[in-house]
Amino acid sequence: MITLTAWDLALASALVCLSAALTHALRLATAGRLLVASARALVQLLLVGLLLKLLFARADLLWVAAFAGVMLAIAGYETLARQRRPLTGVWGYGIGTLAMFLSSFTVAIVALTAIVEPNPWYTPQYAIPLLGMLLGNTMTGIAIALDRMTQTAFDQRGAIEARLILGQPWREAISDIRADSMRAGMIPTINAMAAAGVVSLPGMMTGQILAGSPPLEAVKYQIVILFLIAVGTIFGTVGAIWGASRRLFDTRERLRLDRLRVPPEGH
Amino acid sequence: MNVTKKSHVPLLTLENLRHEGLEAAALELEAGDIALVSGPSGAGKTRLLRALADLDAHSGDVSLEGRHYLSFKPWDWRRQVGFLPTESHWWRKDAGGHFDTPPQSETLKRLKLDAVILKRPVGQLSSGERQRLALLRLLQNAPKVLLLDEPTGSLDGDSAARVEAEVKRYLKANRAAAIWVSHDEAQVKRLASRRYSMREGKLERQ
């Protein structure tokens, strides 16, 4: 494996500064944001690298679980932040996070104990990156699906209530919106599988090849990961939409848009 | 023949209904009744109908044939107490997709509607056509009580008269009753078997 020196990092950073200068010259007003984002990526990744180094040295189930818990908490917050009209109260954070937990963790545990089978099964070199990829993708799917559902329910209040008025149970009155939102949440994952290897070389596979794995070994891992991500995303999205749509109606099956947060003025 | 005299139960009763500035102390409907509710806009007429259809949370007691609304499944209640909002909403592409069985051509004719419009995209229908179709869509559930929010609001005189006749015909045939919100004094006089006024959220018998 070829290791990178501080000089190599500096060179890549210099290229980012150069492109920042270019966007500034073009008056795109993104130079500042580009630099801040780059700096954040640099610091965050270095910190994570250090943390992982510590974690790998310990390889203790409790530490792995704690690390996974923090990842889940942050993913939950990110899911919430990506919705324009999330549910109020603990539901806004809780439903997305619970759905992510149930889907990603279950899939990760199945993968570790039945497919990859490191010894012990929670070996952090395997468990943490696997969970990270699952969480990252499930998070995107759930956030898109929830955002779509709450926004559509808000926009189509009249149509939903028209269906309730005509005697449809809540499940039926929201069925189209629910299906549409689930679909929206699953599409990025399905597209990623369809484009894998043809349009893009998936990141994990690329990483393994760079680290010296034989391409076919890397490909096998990538296939497993893609399938696991698809399963995790689908379960997570279905669960989140199921829970959140129930919350949009009360026990008398009234549409309760007052249970959605009011977005801040402007976009 | 053995006829036992049952104690009389009104079709719909309402007692002490309250909801966000809305106060309706009492209202009673018998089969065939049309209760006309009038009052300035913003007084709470629509809120009253929404509460009766159990679309908004409210306190108080509403009963249909002596049975409390909470003992109905919510969707069953809404089927029996049918609400017709001022503005109709549609979720399928054409109007016909909203009917289990398409309305009969005679019924359409009575409301001056052509059967062709059932196949047209809803967006291409006039507001008057939508309003009349929304009434037919509601009636296919055979509700016992109709809650009509200005059902002739976007209709010309002739179509309005036809809708009035259709509702009366329905009430008679189904032993049903209606609460009818109207601004039109002539219409109120024409139809009302009971009159109520709504002012600043208060419902009062007149």
Side-chain angles (χ1 to χ4, degrees):
Chain A
M1 197 173 94
I2 304 165
T3 51
L4 297 181
T5 62
W7 275 114
D8 299 327
L9 284 180
L11 190 58
S13 309
L15 288 174
V16 168
C17 292
L18 198 69
S19 53
L22 178 68
T23 59
H24 185 69
L26 290 173
R27 308 195 187 295
L28 296 182
T30 54
R33 278 164 64 188
L34 175 65
L35 288 176
V36 170
S38 310
R40 269 189 65 172
L42 183 83
V43 174
Q44 286 168 194
L45 288 175
L46 281 176
L47 276 177
V48 148
L50 282 175
L51 274 173
L52 286 177
K53 195 181 163 187
L54 286 175
L55 187 69
F56 289 1
R58 293 201 172 235
D60 178 63
L61 179 58
L62 217 67
W63 279 100
V64 175
F67 203 89
V70 173
M71 285 164 71
L72 176 69
I74 296 172
Y77 177 77
E78 187 62 27
T79 308
L80 182 66
R82 288 187 193 177
Q83 298 171 58
R84 207 168 118 72
R85 298 178 187 276
L87 288 167
T88 52
V90 295
W91 306 93
Y93 184 85
I95 290 177
T97 311
L98 183 69
M100 250 185 310
F101 172 70
L102 291 177
S103 61
S104 299
F105 280 60
T106 312
V107 171
I109 288 171
V110 168
L112 288 168
T113 54
I115 300 176
V116 186
E117 296 177 276
N119 185 28
W121 65 270
Y122 53 84
T123 304
Q125 281 90 327
Y126 292 91
I128 296 298
L130 187 69
L131 185 65
M133 282 186 285
L134 284 167
L135 271 179
N137 287 281
T138 317
M139 174 181 84
T140 306
I142 291 178
I144 291 174
L146 286 177
D147 186 52
R148 171 75 72 99
M149 189 180 68
T150 49
Q151 187 62 43
T152 315
F154 183 84
D155 293 339
Q156 296 190 6
R157 173 184 172 184
I160 299 172
E161 287 197 328
R163 299 177 75 156
L164 293 176
I165 286 165
L166 289 167
Q168 293 190 1
W170 72 270
R171 238 179 262 276
E172 204 179 326
I174 192 101
S175 56
D176 295 347
I177 295 175
R178 216 150 79 153
D180 180 58
S181 310
M182 288 180 190
R183 212 174 292 131
M186 292 171 193
I187 277 173
T189 305
I190 293 170
N191 285 347
M193 286 203 287
V198 188
V199 184
S200 63
L201 284 185
M204 192 196 73
M205 186 178 120
T206 315
Q208 281 193 316
I209 292 173
L210 285 179
S213 295
L216 271 179
E217 287 307 309
V219 162
K220 280 195 278 181
Y221 259 93
Q222 188 63 56
I223 290 170
V224 167
I225 291 294
L226 275 179
F227 288 0
L228 292 178
I229 285 173
V231 172
T233 308
I234 286 166
F235 276 109
T237 306
V238 169
I241 289 296
W242 192 86
S245 62
R246 181 73 195 86
R247 181 68 195 155
L248 281 179
F249 297 87
D250 61 19
T251 48
R252 293 300 296 171
E253 304 194 14
R254 307 174 185 117
L255 179 64
R256 295 293 298 271
L257 292 179
D258 57 313
R259 292 178 176 174
L260 297 180
R261 281 183 217 180
V262 180
E265 290 293 314
H267 297 283
Chain B
M1 208 163 80
N2 182 14
V3 179
T4 48
K5 196 169 172 185
K6 278 194 207 158
S7 65
H8 177 73
V9 179
L11 183 61
L12 184 89
T13 54
L14 170 168
E15 277 170 284
N16 294 318
L17 186 120
R18 269 165 212 275
H19 161 63
E20 280 177 23
L22 180 74
E23 232 185 287
L27 183 143
E28 226 178 79
L29 288 181
E30 301 288 351
D33 262 341
I34 304 184
L36 261 290
V37 179
S38 49
S41 25
K45 303 183 297 292
T46 299
R47 266 180 293 155
L48 172 72
L49 298 192
R50 284 181 60 88
L52 285 171
D54 205 9
L55 285 173
D56 290 329
H58 56 89
S59 66
D61 300 312
V62 185
S63 298
L64 183 71
E65 293 172 327
R67 211 179 128 194
H68 198 266
Y69 80 96
L70 286 176
S71 72
F72 287 81
K73 293 268 182 216
W75 52 266
D76 189 25
W77 175 261
R78 294 190 192 109
R79 277 174 173 257
Q80 312 227 25
V81 180
F83 174 36
L84 185 72
T86 326
E87 204 190 316
S88 64
H89 290 270
W90 308 79
W91 59 93
R92 300 261 176 265
K93 210 169 163 208
D94 53 38
H98 299 77
F99 290 85
D100 295 333
T101 47
Q104 291 178 329
S105 57
E106 311 155 39
T107 318
L108 288 169
K109 226 177 260 167
R110 283 202 301 271
L111 289 178
K112 248 173 72 181
L113 292 169
D114 196 321
V116 198
I117 65 168
L118 291 172
K119 294 203 179 88
R120 262 191 225 143
V122 177
Q124 285 180 20
L125 305 178
S126 74
S127 57
E129 286 169 332
R130 283 200 302 269
Q131 198 163 29
R132 278 169 285 167
L133 282 174
L135 175 69
L136 293 181
R137 181 175 70 170
L138 184 72
L139 294 185
Q140 64 173 353
N141 280 339
K144 294 203 176 100
V145 174
L146 299 177
L147 309 171
L148 308 171
D149 199 353
E150 298 185 49
T152 58
S154 47
L155 300 181
D156 59 64
D158 178 37
S159 301
R162 284 163 183 264
V163 165
E164 289 176 14
E166 188 64 25
V167 170
K168 277 168 129 176
R169 189 192 161 96
Y170 174 85
L171 298 184
K172 202 171 169 197
N174 294 275
R175 300 197 38 78
I179 299 180
W180 187 312
V181 168
S182 177
H183 283 296
D184 177 353
E185 189 54 31
Q187 187 174 53
V188 174
K189 285 207 175 111
R190 231 176 7 248
L191 296 171
S193 63
R194 294 159 192 252
R195 289 191 59 170
Y196 291 85
S197 76
M198 180 70 97
R199 275 184 221 297
E200 290 168 8
K202 267 200 160 159
L203 183 76
E204 264 159 24
R205 179 99 196 247
Q206 284 187 318

